[in-house]
Each structure stands twice: as structure tokens, then as C-alpha cells.
Amino acid sequence: MPESAEASEPGTHALVPGFVPGPGNGSAAGATDRTTRAPGVLEVLRRLDSGPRGLTEAQAEERVVRFGVNTLPPRCEASWPRLFVRSLRDPFTAVLLCLGLVSAAVASWGAACVILLLVAVSCVLRASGEHRADRSMAALRGLVATTATVLRRADEGEAPVAREVPVEEVVPGDVIRLGPGDLVPADVRLLRANGLTVHQAALTGESLPVAKAAVDTTGAAHGGVFGRPQMCFQGSSVVSGSGTAIVVATGRRTRFAAAHGGLGAQRESSAFDRSVHGISWILIRFMLLTPPLVLMANAALRGRGLETLPFAVAVAVGLTPEMLPVIVTTCLARGASLLARAHGVIVKRLPALHDLGAVDVLCLDKTGTLTKDRPAVDRALGPDGEDDPEVLRWAAVNAWWTLQLADLPTPDALDEAILDAADEGDLMAYDGTAAIPFDPVRRLATAVVRTPGRLGTHTLVVKGAVEAVLVRCAVAEDERERLLALAAHQADAGLRVLAVATAERPARVRDYTPADERGLTFQGFVTVRDALAPTAADALRVLAERGVTVKILTGDHPETAARACRDLGVPVASDGVLTADRVDGLSDTELAHAAARTAVFARCTPEHKARIAAALRSGGHTVGFLGDGVNDLPALRAADIGIAPRDAVAIAREAADVVLAEKDLTAIDHAITAGRHSGGNIATYLRVTLSSNLGNVIAMLAAGLLLPFLPMLPVQVLAQNLCFDAAQLAFAYDRPHKAVLRRPTRLRPRDLLRFIAGFGTLNAVADLATFAVLAFTLHGADALDDEAVFHSGWFTENLLTQALVMLLLCTGRRSAEGHTPGTVGWAAAALTVVGLLVPVSPLGSLFGLTPLPVLYYPLLGAVLALYAAALMAARTRYERRSAGL
């Protein structure tokens, strides 16, 4: 069975009865696509005021004015300045921008300039990265036809002439001709067709070409409006055969164009957006709380007034990770750039790279990812159900001579699979004389051949749907029922089943017709399975090792999907396939529970796919969805991260956040790996910076209560922050430990808050121990009154503890395994050198620093050693708890 054949958002076909607005166009009548009767040919021609001879040139020109040109809705690209301004809406950036303005308000010009510079750098990096992705996407657009063959007349009395016109000039009522390789330029109703098959994967996701015929049908079509054999739609392409059709809808009225209308819809916040907002509010609360505490404590205990306001603002700045927007943007932009260069993956929206790293559920269709876009022969069975190679030989003869004699440019996918499995020598032994090609009404194809050694006799070889072939065979009713049951058993095992029959007729000259397809001798069945993608099994194993659960959302038969999964080693329980009709009976809460334990969803329409993705998100998962057709648009927007291959239909690429070089799970693994590298570096930076900053703030508050002077001057806070900020740039270029790749990297505000509270307290204890060391080193009753020495001692200790935190919370385990320190290690070493040398250098006097007593350094070393031991123990405990040990 084909994949789901229903579009997500049907367009408005106001010209022809039976076409109604879809849900995306403000109507509740979208569901009627399945039940509204298809209009007949005469009814279509009458409503369009046209005929089989086509339009006159004057009529065509008038209709261009009335209906507009036949083009898709224009895609408005955001300019670089607009992307820059949009970057300011990022919560991290907004927090820093407010801090910079507050710093300027209290005359802390140095802090204000640094913060505003970092904001500008972050916005430039983000805008440049997304602008570069937009330019890469522009090169992939334009999968619609450029010209069309139409029948036009100079005036009413002239004969129609077939000529090529730009696709923009095609109008409703035009009669067009379709041939192999043509792209359908608009939505059309067939007037005549000869062996016509079209590939409409761009609309429905179907892996096999679909047979079309100029027939009037009644009742519901399988697969909705796209299942109607008399209709072809813009975005599909002709595989074989030929046809003449009348255009019923162009431009914005086509179903292909209607999908564009949903691209501007507001998407739910992604995993990155939710994490960013949560962390931003944590920072905002701390920053709003810190300055009042500093002011009140100094006013109550030390009698200081507003003169401490610059220090209070400096403390708030010290708590804030000023480099956060720069680090986040640099990590993501660098990861996106490496992906594009090494694997051809385009990340259109930089935060999407983080979401890739956070993905723990990946939803995809099986066709083109788990399986190839073509089938393969499984077995050839005789009437008794046993293997019979003779059946495959007759099926191959049918496929070969139908291809040769029915004027087909290439075999369809099923015939190609049969020819690949057959012996070429068997085919050359027969001489074909006639062929009756497949059509969707008969559901079979017939080849007539001369059998070697049988002069005066022709053999009809018939191949097609089981029911259609058996009804033409001379078999008893009970035997027919047995053969139907045998075919059903094979179909239940996830296989496509074709029946093969033959008949001998006296040789004749006159043409063969479908009336000759009777009194056949049943030969057997050919079963066909989906050919597995060569990289799928290994990619699924790697994804499972990375903690990513794969969900199959397909419009295919449940057993077909389950078989492909079992062949690839994906465990599918006996009740592990959930069909669309069962999904319809579940509430959102019940679906969320069912989706978490179900591996395969079958018979899915676009709406089902979107609802399943939303249900998985509501269960706390970060969901990625891989899709390539118009029918995948709702799910691409419902997921945290939409993924499309480069050869997907243009509007699917527009809706996706990430575009792959090819539809391959290996490419997704590369993208997830890059996302986890970037996400791991961002998470490590946040943990290191926020825990260190929180410890400093606690120590500053304590020192403010203990000391008769400010524990650190605002200029010293700024200098210290600049040193730490410069060192933190190394996080954007670090290679995280391989353990980061084993599970999704997601910024969880609550987990981050617990981490920084615990490790920040450790840092504060180290700072307070440094106070004791300074008191012991300086001696005397006024030991802590030496303001410059205190500032210098704490300045040095702060930078050394921050360097220690960088090493032990980022590269400690890798260094222990014998690897080189990497960028973070070298940055920590540089920070240590600055902390030791600045107080004793001429530069130190500019910041109010002074050389320290020699005794201070060994005592500080002892404090740092104890702090490192405590840090290692706390980190080990945290890792065990995170791993669930």
C-alpha cells in the first residue's frame, strides 16, 4: 500500500464543484474532500467555460488578469538588519542589554561599554549565521515547472495549436498535454490518459508512482482527494505515459500553494526557547535581588548610602554571565558552519542546533530512510504456496514486454524490482507481439508473446492485483477463496502481493483488448518487500546508543511498516503498532501515554502525524520530525525541530529548521552529534560561570558585612570579569567529553539551579577561607584594614578558583585519561598567569592592586588544593546522580 496520500492543507478550488476549502483556509469543510463526489468531465468544462480544444489567446489573456499569474506565493526573506534587530529579542541578550543600560545610568561606563559591546557582537554573529543559511536555502528553491504545453487558438474559428508557454501564463480552462518527465504546472482534471503514472511524493509521501486515468468516479477515494485517479496536482511529476488535461486551479488556488499559507503561522516554543526563558528568569530574579541586598546590608551595618550603588550594580553584573549570548551564538554558529562544510547540512535557525542535541525522540516515515524508494522481490510462490521460480519468469516476461511495447520510458518500481531479480536470458527467449498497459480500472497489465517451439500460438501473460487476476482465472470458487487467503497471509506479513496468470490463444493479427483477459490459468504470486536502506540498521543502532528513540509515522499498512522495522532490528511488540483509527479514539492525555510506548504508527494522515508529535512533546520529550512532502508540513511545525532532506518539496524545506544533504539517518546522526557538541559546551559554560559567579556574590555579601571597606572596587570587578570572559571564549571551541554524546543535552533550569547552588556554595566557602588566610597573613589587630592587600588577595584567588573550576568541571576527566588539555585547559592556564602576575605588575596599580606577602601563596595553594578535592568529590556525586546510579 502507498504512504499517506492526503495533503495537509488543501487549497481553495472555487471554480470546480467538489473542491472545497481545507482547514487551513478558514473553512470547516476540509473533511468533505473524502466524501464529496468528483465532478464529471462535462461539468468541469461547463464551469470553466472551456472545451477540449482549449482557450483562445484573448480568453487566456483575460483570465491572466482575472485570476492572476500562475506562481506560488512570494517568499519574503528577512534582511540582515532585520535579523539583527530580531536577535535583540533573545532573553539572554535582553537581560544583558538592561544591565548595560543600568550600568550607564549609575555612571559605570566601563561595565556599560563592555556589556553593550558583547550584546552587539552576539547579535552580529547570530544575524550573520542565519543570513548565511537563508542564502544557502535560496539556492535550493524552485521545484515547480518552468514551461507547459498548452492548446491555444488564435480565435474561435481556428484549430488549436500545441505550444510551449511559461508556466506563469497557464490559466484555469487551459488544456495542457503531459508526457514523461513533465512537472504538472497546476491542478488539472484529466480528459484523456494513456498509461499515465505520476510521482506525487511531494504531496503525499507515496514512494511509488500512482496510476491516473480519465475516469468519472463516485464515492470516497482512498487517500482523500489525492487518491482520485482523474486528478493531477501541481508539484507532482509524470513518470510514464501521456495525457491531456484541463487546468482547474492555478497560483494561490492550487493545493500545493495552499501549504505556503501555514508557513507564517506561529510555532510553539522549542526546547531551546523554553530553556532560555527558564534560565533567564533565574538570572533576572538573582539580579533584582542582589543590588537591594547589598545596599541594605551596607546601610544597616556600615552606614553607607548610595555611594555603594555602583558596587551593587557591579555585583549584579558579576553575577550575570556577560559572555552568554556570545558563547551561545558562537557555539551554535560554529557547529552549524562545520555541519554545512563537512556534511552539507544547513541549519536555518541557529537555536535549532541546540534542539538537535536535545532530541530524544525522532519521528520519521520509513520510505527513503529505513527503506529505499524502490521495492525488491521477496519470493515467487506457486499456487500451493511453495517457492516456484517459473512464476518469477512469467512476471518478468510481462514486465519486459509491457515496457517495450506499451511505449513506457521506464518500468514502474514494481516491474523494475521484478526485472532486477529475473534472469535476462529467460526474457530474450520470448518474442513480444502486443501489450495492454496497466490502468487503475482493470488493475492489471498484459503482455502477448510468442512462445519458442509453439508456432501459431500466442501466450497472454497477465500480472496485477490479486483480486483482479483471480476473477479472470478459470478456478473453482473454493480454490479462489484459498488463493485469496494465501495472498492475504502474505500481505499480513508486510509484503506487497502480485498475481500472475497466463492463457494460450491462437495467433492472430488483430489487436488484443481487455476482453481477451479471461479464462486464464493461475500461475502464482510474486511477493515484494521494501528494500532496506543500506545504512539504516547501523544508523538506528547508533541513535539508540545516543538515547534517541525512533518512532515510525507512516501512511502504510501496519504489517508493512512493522516488517521493515523487524528486518532492521527495531523491536516491535505484538501490540506495538498503533493505527490511525485507534489514535482517533484517544484523548490527548491517553495519546501521550500511548505514544511513549509505541514504536510504529500506521495509516497516518498529516493531522495524525502532527497530533502524535504534539503528544510526545506534551510528555516532556524533545521531538524531531523528518519529512519531505506537503503532507508532512503540520508535523514539521508541531515538532521541536523540523528536518527535511535537500530534495524535499520546496515548501517542506521552507518549514524545516534543518535541511539535510540527503534523506539518510546517518546525516541526522551527524547533525545530532554537532548539536550535542554545541549544547554540551553551552551547558558546561553555564554551570562553570554561574556557580563561580554565585560563589563570588555570596562572598561579596559576606565581606560587605565583615569589612569596613568595599570588598572589591567596581573597576576591579570589571577587570576580573573581563579576564574571566576572555577565558570563557574557549568553551565555544572545546571538544566535550565523549560521554556528552551518549544522551540528549538539554538545558533544564531546575537542574542548573541545583548545580549552581551546590557548587556556588563550595566556591563561596573557598572565598571565605581566603579571607581567613589574608587575616592570618597580614597579622595585627587591623589585619583586614589593609584595603589594597585584601583586594589584591581576593582578585588573585578569584581568578585562580575560576581557572580551577573551568578545568575540573570541563576537562578534568579527559585530562585524567591522558588527553591534552585543549582550548579550555590553555585558557585556564592563561587565567592563572594573569591572576598571579597582575597584582605585582605596573598594570595592577591602575586597578588599585598591590603585591602580596610571600606567605600568602603557599596558604592559598593549600586552600585551592582542598577546594579542588571538594570539587572533584561533588562532581563525582553529581555525575552518579545524573546517570541514575
Side-chain angles (χ1 to χ4, degrees), residues 519-751:
L520 307 177
T521 301
F522 182 74
Q523 296 293 334
F525 301 110
V526 174
T527 60
V528 181
R529 57 177 170 78
D530 290 325
L532 301 179
T535 60
D538 290 339
L540 286 171
R541 177 181 51 78
V542 172
L543 288 172
E545 291 173 354
R546 301 208 191 291
V548 178
T549 302
V550 174
K551 306 283 186 183
I552 311 302
L553 278 58
T554 180
D556 221 333
H557 188 281
E559 284 302 327
T560 302
R563 181 186 181 91
C565 291
R566 287 192 292 267
D567 290 345
L568 289 167
V570 178
V572 180
S574 58
D575 60 345
V577 179
L578 197 62
T579 55
D581 55 346
R582 292 172 58 194
V583 170
D584 290 333
L586 300 176
S587 67
D588 290 343
T589 302
E590 291 170 336
L591 180 58
H593 292 299
R597 61 177 184 269
T598 302
V600 180
F601 299 83
R603 300 293 195 196
C604 292
T605 66
E607 291 74 21
H608 289 120
K609 293 180 181 181
R611 190 175 171 220
I612 292 166
L616 289 167
R617 289 185 68 185
S618 68
H621 297 285
T622 302
V623 180
F625 184 88
L626 173 64
D628 59 358
V630 173
N631 63 321
D632 292 319
L633 288 178
L636 286 170
R637 292 194 294 265
D640 286 288
I641 178 77
I643 309 169
R646 189 184 299 252
D647 58 357
V649 62
I651 50 180
R653 294 198 307 265
E654 300 291 351
D657 302 296
V658 175
V659 178
L660 306 177
E662 55 188 8
K663 194 176 182 182
D664 185 1
L665 288 181
T666 302
I668 295 180
D669 176 55
H670 291 316
I672 288 176
T673 300
R676 291 189 179 179
H677 274 151
S678 299
N681 285 342
I682 293 169
T684 301
Y685 162 78
L686 282 170
R687 294 190 188 104
V688 169
T689 302
L690 290 178
S691 59
S692 180
N693 289 358
L694 179 63
N696 286 342
V697 167
I698 294 173
M700 282 187 180
L701 292 174
L705 301 179
L706 296 173
L707 301 176
F709 50 81
L710 292 178
M712 192 172 288
L713 300 177
V715 67
Q716 295 166 349
V717 174
L718 178 61
Q720 177 182 275
N721 288 344
L722 284 174
C723 293
F724 197 25
D725 290 345
Q728 288 166 343
L729 276 173
F731 285 110
Y733 300 91
D734 189 41
R735 289 187 58 83
H737 188 268
K738 59 185 179 181
V740 173
L741 303 180
R742 294 174 187 163
R743 58 178 182 268
T745 54
R746 185 172 176 181
L747 298 174
R748 301 181 186 271
R750 289 187 179 180
D751 292 345

Side-chain angles (χ1 to χ4, degrees), residues 49-50 54-64 66 153 156 171:
D49 189 21
S50 183
L55 301 175
T56 65
E57 295 292 350
Q59 288 174 322
E61 291 174 4
E62 182 271 332
R63 295 189 184 199
V64 169
R66 191 190 343 162
R153 294 171 292 156
E156 290 290 348
V171 296

Side-chain angles (χ1 to χ4, degrees), residues 444-521:
L444 46 81
T446 298
V448 182
V449 299
R450 282 192 285 266
T451 306
R454 303 290 300 275
L455 295 177
T457 301
H458 285 172
T459 302
L460 276 68
V461 185
V462 181
K463 171 176 59 66
V466 174
E467 298 86 349
V469 172
L470 283 176
V471 78
R472 292 167 169 81
C473 290
V475 297
E477 185 63 28
D478 57 343
E479 177 67 5
R480 181 179 291 110
E481 293 297 327
R482 185 187 70 82
L483 292 173
L484 287 171
L486 177 60
H489 176 71
Q490 297 297 321
D492 289 342
L495 299 170
R496 292 183 177 92
V497 184
L498 297 173
V500 181
T502 61
E504 292 190 351
R505 300 282 189 267
R508 72 189 193 200
V509 177
R510 72 178 186 274
D511 291 340
Y512 285 88
T513 68
D516 295 302
E517 298 167 338
R518 54 185 173 78
L520 307 177
T521 301

